[in-house]
Amino acid sequence: RRPFFHCKEKTMAKAAFLEIGEVVGTHGIAGEMRVQPWCDSAAAFCKLSVLYADAAGKTQFAVKSRPHKNIVLMKAAGVDTVQEAATWRGRRLFAARADMTLPDGRYFICDLIGCAVSDADTGEVYGHITAVSNNGAGDIYHMQKADGTLVLIPAIPAIVVAVDTDAESVRIRPMKGLFDA
């Protein structure tokens, strides 16, 4: 059930362009950039050959990327010097949702944010997902209850029964102690 691309926040339902990383520095002298990918792996980021400089998809550019440790080394068309690459530092990068395919059981995190969390058996609504994090062993859904209490829900099949991002719904079967403070 692991999410695929990590969007920083939900900006609109099913946005056409998703934040997928940020330029954090330069690499070498030929205009390559170091990118912190916001996806499950650097390899997933590297499958994209066209990126966008804005959430509206107005500024498109071709890229060639390769994984390098836990980051991506990216070369954008028309950026040929370290000085040109340096001007990109801090820029967020976007990809078209249509260019990405998710395997069954995987979701864009920005589509999970805002989903109502309800009991799979009774239908009782517990709260809404406000964030998703990963502790190394798996994803954790951060759910805020109506009273403001934060509950951390392990995103494992024994607890998360169904996810429907189109209906903005996550159904869970809470294990004993999940809601204990």
Side-chain angles (χ1 to χ4, degrees), residues 25-149:
T26 61
H27 181 80
I29 61 171
E32 273 191 310
M33 294 169 254
R34 294 169 37 93
V35 175
Q36 180 62 55
W38 294 335
C39 48
D40 282 352
S41 69
F45 182 103
C46 293
K47 291 179 182 178
L48 299 167
S49 61
V50 175
L51 296 179
Y52 300 83
D54 55 73
K58 294 179 184 175
T59 309
Q60 173 182 319
F61 53 94
V63 296
K64 289 185 180 177
S65 306
R66 58 190 165 97
H68 180 70
K69 299 181 182 174
N70 64 337
I71 63 162
V72 169
L73 297 179
M74 179 186 82
K75 177 77 170 82
V79 178
D80 299 314
T81 67
V82 67
Q83 293 81 6
E84 291 171 333
T87 66
W88 287 57
R89 186 184 307 255
R91 181 179 288 185
R92 291 184 176 188
L93 304 172
F94 297 81
R97 180 186 291 264
D99 291 345
M100 297 177 275
T101 319
L102 292 176
D104 287 340
R106 294 181 80 176
Y107 314 95
F108 294 110
I109 287 178
C110 57
D111 293 343
L112 289 169
I113 295 174
C115 284
V117 178
S118 62
D119 190 286
D121 299 317
T122 67
E124 176 186 355
V125 176
Y126 296 122
H128 291 82
I129 295 177
T130 58
V132 177
S133 61
N134 186 288
N135 66 359
D139 286 332
I140 310 264
Y141 294 171
H142 299 231
M143 181 194 72
Q144 186 170 7
K145 294 169 66 174
D147 66 3
T149 305

